Amino acid sequence: AVAVAEEVAAAAQRVVKEERKTSAGTLEAVKAQLIRQLVMAQDTVRNTEESLHASQTEIESIRKAVVADEETRHNFFPLIPSWLSSTLQQDQSALQHKQQQLLESQGKLNSSMA
């Protein structure tokens, strides 16, 4: 009976050792998996931060372009009416001059034919 009890105790100890090895192996596998997931999460965070920085840079660039466009519009557009008016007056003067030249040429032509 004592020998059987000792054999059962030894078998129980072997089972406990195997369970500990299996548990330790399982824990190592879980730990390795958690480390891989942590590395992937860190990569995701880094990529998101880089993407956010790129987006912020693009937004700043667009904002600067909008400000520049507004400044150009503010500074340049008020000049357009006076520029157009001046150009139209010059064109009108040139047209009147050409009209006068045509009338004079027509008058000379008419008198030479008469």
Side-chain angles (χ1 to χ4, degrees), residues 29-49:
V30 168
K31 182 180 170 183
Q33 179 63 28
L34 287 174
I35 289 172
R36 284 192 295 275
Q37 289 176 347
L38 177 61
V39 169
M40 289 185 341
Q42 288 171 333
D43 287 345
T44 300
V45 168
R46 186 175 51 254
N47 290 340
T48 302
E49 287 173 342

Side-chain angles (χ1 to χ4, degrees), residues 1-13:
V2 173
V4 171
E6 286 175 354
E7 195 175 312
V8 169
Q13 284 180 346

Side-chain angles (χ1 to χ4, degrees), residues 2-113:
V2 173
V4 171
E6 286 175 354
E7 195 175 312
V8 169
Q13 284 180 346
R14 284 193 302 274
V15 168
V16 168
K17 280 185 182 179
E18 287 301 316
E19 285 295 318
R20 284 185 184 156
K21 285 182 186 175
T22 303
S23 293
T26 301
L27 285 175
E28 286 301 315
V30 168
K31 182 180 170 183
Q33 179 63 28
L34 287 174
I35 289 172
R36 284 192 295 275
Q37 289 176 347
L38 177 61
V39 169
M40 289 185 341
Q42 288 171 333
D43 287 345
T44 300
V45 168
R46 186 175 51 254
N47 290 340
T48 302
E49 287 173 342
E50 289 171 0
S51 177
L52 177 62
H53 178 71
S55 295
Q56 288 171 334
T57 301
E58 186 175 353
I59 288 169
E60 183 62 20
S61 173
I62 291 169
R63 188 192 66 74
K64 286 179 181 177
V66 167
V67 167
D69 185 51
E70 288 173 355
E71 288 174 357
T72 299
R73 221 178 294 150
H74 177 75
N75 294 333
F76 180 67
F77 283 178
L79 302 176
I80 290 177
S82 63
W83 175 79
L84 280 175
S85 175
S86 171
T87 303
L88 286 174
Q89 286 175 354
Q90 290 172 1
D91 289 350
Q92 190 174 21
S93 295
L95 185 60
Q96 287 173 348
H97 181 69
K98 290 285 183 190
Q99 240 178 351
Q100 186 62 37
Q101 287 177 336
L102 282 173
L103 287 173
E104 289 172 5
S105 295
Q106 188 177 15
K108 288 179 185 175
L109 183 64
N110 287 341
S111 40
S112 68
M113 295 178 112

